[in-house]
Amino acid sequence: QVQLVESGGGWVQPGGSLKLSCAASGFTLDYYTIGWFRQAPGEEREGVSCIMSGDGTTYYADSVKGRFTVSRDNAKNTVYLQMNSLKPEDTAVYYCAADLYRCTLTVLPESNWYQYDYWGQGTQVTVSS
């Protein structure tokens, strides 16, 4: 069965850290570009980071640059998102998605979600005091 499963979300105080995982099954994650997205209540889904297939080049949205780090462990078929210096505005459901080449660092309307081959179910991140 082909699927992506996110984990690692939770509640954290402002300034804290969380590490999200995106585990793939049924396909080799290294062959795909993996994007991390987030969606806050009432907002559209937005791309925050991606790691490219092959050479693993990473990209970040300006809102998370310098605070988030994306990485990939091919042996575990898993991509990670290390989130540091978290802010209340980072509160959202975080999703990972796989596509052969696409990297989205802007809003992705629901009408375009089909552009990605696979989506995870999401994991909630809440940043509050």
Side-chain angles (χ1 to χ4, degrees):
Q1 182 179 2
V2 174
Q3 62 177 352
L4 290 171
V5 178
E6 302 98 335
S7 62
W11 173 84
V12 65
Q13 292 185 332
S17 297
L18 283 173
K19 186 174 184 178
L20 306 184
S21 299
C22 171
S25 59
F27 68 101
T28 302
L29 196 144
D30 185 36
Y31 294 164
Y32 286 78
T33 290
I34 303 300
W36 282 99
F37 293 80
R38 65 187 182 187
Q39 187 167 17
E43 302 290 333
E44 297 230 64
R45 195 166 293 187
E46 63 173 354
V48 297
S49 180
C50 48
I51 183 164
M52 306 304 288
S53 59
D55 66 1
T57 301
T58 59
Y59 298 93
Y60 301 93
D62 288 343
S63 59
V64 306
K65 198 172 294 182
R67 300 188 298 122
F68 289 12
T69 303
V70 61
S71 61
R72 187 172 65 207
D73 185 333
N74 294 334
K76 295 183 177 180
N77 215 26
T78 300
V79 167
Y80 303 97
L81 185 68
Q82 176 68 47
M83 306 186 297
N84 298 329
S85 302
L86 283 162
K87 305 175 181 180
E89 51 263 43
D90 294 318
T91 295
V93 178
Y94 283 71
Y95 301 87
C96 60
D99 182 77
L100 286 177
Y101 307 112
R102 193 179 309 272
C103 175
T104 303
L105 297 177
T106 58
V107 168
L108 186 71
E110 186 171 356
S111 58
N112 289 344
W113 292 357
Y114 75 92
Q115 294 176 348
Y116 282 79
D117 292 337
Y118 309 116
W119 285 92
Q121 83 289 349
T123 185
Q124 176 70 47
V125 171
T126 302
V127 185
S128 73
S129 54

